[in-house]
Amino acid sequence: MSMAALPTTRVVAVIGSGAMGSGIAQVAAAAGYTVKLHDARPEAVAKAIAGIIGIFNKLVAKERMSAVDAAAAAARLQAAATLAEVADAGLVVEAIVENLDAKRALFTELESIVGDDCILATNTSSISVTAIGGPLRVPQRLVGMHFFNPVPLMALVEVVSGLATDANVAATVSDTAAAWGKSPVHAKSTPGFIVNRVARPFYAEGWRLLNEQAADAATIDAVLREAGGFRMGPFELMDLIGHDVNFAVTQSVFQAYFNDPRFTPSVLQQELVNAGFLGRKSGRGCYPYGAGASVPQPRCEAPQSCPAQVNVEMAPGAHAPVVEALAARLRERGINVPPRHAPEGHASGEAPAFHCNGAAVYLTDGRTATARARDNHHSDTVLFDLALDFATAKRIAVACADQCSPAAFNAVVGLFQAAGFTVTRLDDVPGLAVMRTVAMLANEAADAVQQGVCSAQAADIAMQKGVNYPRGPLAWADAVGVDHVVTVLHNLAIAYGEDRYRVSPLLRRRQASGAAIHA
Ligand code: NAI
């Protein structure tokens, strides 16, 4: 435990004993703190304490907690019938209803109860920490301590500083979260903090792809999972979260940034909410649920034969490692891939990653295959999407230029199938699925860093530990190459003519200097 954490001799008070408050009380008690739980509804406190003790007993049964530790932790949980009973707290964590007036009223009352050295923390996920602290006598001791649901399983805690928050208060809360076994990151109080802001494109690009009929939901989900390495695709994840909840967060962030088009909600999701198709909990969302529901299967291409010879060539720079990984996988499968050679003969255009039976095959750069075929004067043009790891990905998404011959396209499909990929054809949308999602996640994270909301390291930790991304968006941009990510975003901005895809100044600066985002 860090020296600066709240000592275990001090009491932690948790106000609001619902889903979040009981989880927070559980981790604090398990970490050795005496926890006083309070709720406007006393029955909520009784239910929370009984629930936590039940979980401790289950952990004992699974031999993940000793009976002695469980009994001691259970004994550290106390019900506070009135707010006055938390007077001796060293830290109060508020997890009541998500309402500014209610939170202000609670903290104002607490200021007249607790000692001057008591830290006041709010678990709000969408209200300005600065605003909650505004009317307080000592706003310096008010800080955000934003946990993720379910609290005992999710490691991330965003420690959020409002304008008045004392840096030492934030540091103590951060060290205390670490002492509770959590992974804290610092953030400045801005709409969505880190996770709820940077994650928006994961959902939004999914909706955009669906709206443009790139593919159906099941196919897009499969691409994000099996090529992108995400644990769940956007649509199955939103079905789990609930479209009412997810849409409300998107709207709240959109409004909080004064209608910045980056965060524009989707009319498709609004229709689901209008219909009451809220996801799993209502039996229907993007997918049907319940007995007899037929689960839509992702689409893939029919088997094609593998071309005899594949030439690999590439322009120096940008996405060389991506193509090397693919070439290595092809060779492993016994496909004849001659070593890559210099991109001669491409004076009027760019060198593709592969030549395959006359088809030029490129990693998407944010242009459509159709535009790229025109730009390079080469009709038989096929694009492939980004994968988290080309050596192990199960699926790859491709797009075909409108000018491309079926024979050339099928040769490329056969090549990827021979390498062991399930091949999914998306309609020829700019940036395909994984690439545009990752580029937009990195773009949002880069803006958060550039605006001083958090460090690059914090942004990546937050997305890995708060929403289980397989890689931090900025580390991912480094792996793809910042130069290529900027090209993708730039081309998306041209393709759509929308400010939504404007490139983060930080990405442009790193592109110009040639430096990675993580030094
Ligand atoms: P919940 O509805 O499960 O629990 C809230 C509890 O607070 C209820 O038991 C209610 O009786 C009590 N309460 C309401 N007003 C009160 C007051 N003035 N004084 C004392 N108790 C009061 O809500 P949940 O989901 O636990 O959320 C609580 C807070 O945590 C909210 O601010 C929410 O935005 C935030 N949060 C929620 C997350 C989630 O996924 N549910 C994730 C991160 C933060």
Side-chain angles (χ1 to χ4, degrees):
M1 187 199 292
S2 156
M3 294 309 291
L6 188 78
T8 47
T9 48
R10 296 302 307 269
V11 169
V12 173
V14 178
I15 315 297
S17 308
M20 297 302 288
S22 59
I24 296 164
Q26 180 188 325
V27 298
Y33 292 79
T34 297
V35 179
K36 292 187 174 177
L37 282 112
H38 176 76
D39 197 288
R41 297 177 301 120
E43 67 273 20
V45 175
K47 189 179 163 216
I49 292 180
I52 298 166
I53 291 173
I55 292 166
F56 287 156
N57 290 340
K58 272 192 197 143
L59 291 173
V60 172
K62 288 184 193 163
E63 293 182 6
R64 283 165 46 203
M65 195 176 194
S66 77
V68 173
D69 287 352
R76 286 191 287 269
L77 291 165
Q78 300 173 11
T82 65
L83 212 49
E85 287 173 38
V86 307
D88 58 346
L91 167 66
V92 179
V93 186
E94 168 274 314
I96 67 166
V97 62
E98 187 75 342
N99 175 285
L100 175 60
D101 290 337
K103 288 183 193 291
R104 280 178 162 176
L106 173 69
F107 282 116
T108 303
E109 191 179 352
L110 279 168
E111 273 196 312
S112 67
I113 293 171
V114 298
D116 283 349
D117 66 342
C118 176
I119 292 175
L120 303 177
T122 173
N123 183 47
T124 184
S125 50
S126 66
I127 302 174
S128 158
V129 172
T130 306
I132 294 171
L136 296 189
R137 184 169 46 83
V138 189
Q140 291 83 348
R141 61 164 156 176
L142 189 277
V143 65
M145 192 176 193
H146 183 212
F147 291 84
F148 290 73
N149 192 15
V151 177
L153 301 182
M154 299 300 290
L156 186 68
V157 176
E158 291 179 331
V159 177
V160 184
S161 291
L163 272 186
T165 304
D166 187 318
N168 290 322
V169 167
T172 301
V173 164
S174 179
D175 289 342
T176 304
W180 294 359
K182 298 297 177 191
S183 301
V185 294
H186 285 283
K188 195 165 79 176
S189 180
T190 42
F193 309 141
I194 305 173
V195 170
N196 280 338
R197 169 188 183 167
V198 176
R200 295 321 332 136
F202 185 71
Y203 313 110
E205 292 309 315
W207 289 120
R208 298 277 306 216
L209 290 164
L210 193 65
N211 202 30
E212 290 168 31
Q213 304 187 74
D216 56 276
T219 302
I220 296 168
D221 275 349
V223 169
L224 269 297
R225 254 193 342 261
E226 295 172 20
F230 290 92
R231 203 170 284 184
M232 297 177 89
F235 303 109
E236 52 193 344
L237 179 55
M238 287 184 281
D239 270 6
L240 183 67
I241 294 168
H243 290 282
D244 49 343
V245 173
N246 184 268
F247 188 65
V249 176
T250 300
Q251 273 196 310
S252 133
V253 172
F254 179 57
Q255 283 157 15
Y257 282 107
F258 307 115
N259 294 6
D260 185 334
R262 278 267 184 82
F263 304 107
T264 309
S266 168
V267 292
L268 296 184
Q269 190 173 32
Q270 182 162 50
E271 280 292 274
L272 285 180
V273 175
N274 287 343
F277 297 166
L278 304 181
R280 283 180 180 272
K281 63 186 173 188
S282 69
R284 179 170 171 183
C286 296
Y287 299 99
Y289 297 94
S294 71
V295 183
Q297 294 303 305
R299 282 183 319 175
C300 60
E301 293 301 295
Q304 302 291 338
S305 52
C306 180
Q309 173 109 0
V310 183
N311 289 314
V312 181
E313 57 178 294
M314 10 203 308
H319 45 269
V322 166
V323 175
E324 288 302 341
L326 260 181
R329 179 163 172 172
L330 293 168
R331 283 191 200 104
E332 246 170 50
R333 302 271 173 154
I335 299 161
N336 185 7
V337 181
R340 72 193 172 98
H341 52 80
E344 286 157 22
H346 285 278
S348 65
E350 43 174 353
F354 301 99
H355 270 304
C356 171
N357 273 20
V361 187
Y362 303 87
L363 175 67
T364 175
D365 72 351
R367 281 177 290 171
T368 60
T370 302
R372 222 156 162 178
R374 174 205 58 205
D375 293 350
N376 293 323
H377 309 290
H378 190 98
S379 297
D380 289 341
T381 293
V382 178
L383 305 183
F384 61 95
D385 197 5
L386 183 65
L388 175 67
D389 178 3
F390 282 98
T392 58
K394 283 199 286 188
R395 189 180 292 265
I396 194 164
V398 296
C400 172
D402 292 349
Q403 307 91 319
C404 183
S405 71
F409 176 67
N410 286 338
V412 177
V413 171
L415 173 71
F416 283 125
Q417 287 172 338
F421 291 101
T422 299
V423 181
T424 283
R425 180 180 177 172
L426 301 177
D427 193 30
D428 188 20
V429 292
L432 294 176
V434 180
M435 182 65 93
R436 71 192 261 174
T437 299
V438 169
M440 285 296 277
L441 291 171
N443 205 31
E444 203 52 54
D447 263 4
V449 173
Q450 208 241 349
Q451 293 158 11
V453 174
C454 61
S455 68
Q457 210 185 4
D460 275 358
I461 290 171
M463 304 318 288
Q464 288 174 283
K465 307 251 179 184
V467 272
N468 291 322
Y469 287 1
R471 186 183 280 164
L474 295 172
W476 210 335
D478 281 342
V480 173
V482 174
D483 186 59
H484 192 73
V485 170
V486 170
T487 302
V488 168
L489 292 167
H490 176 78
N491 284 329
L492 283 167
I494 291 171
Y496 290 112
E498 289 175 56
D499 192 45
R500 168 182 182 77
Y501 295 101
R502 68 181 185 272
V503 184
S504 165
L506 177 65
L507 292 182
R508 283 214 185 277
R509 185 166 169 179
R510 289 292 190 276
Q511 179 196 35
S513 70
I517 297 172
H518 290 285

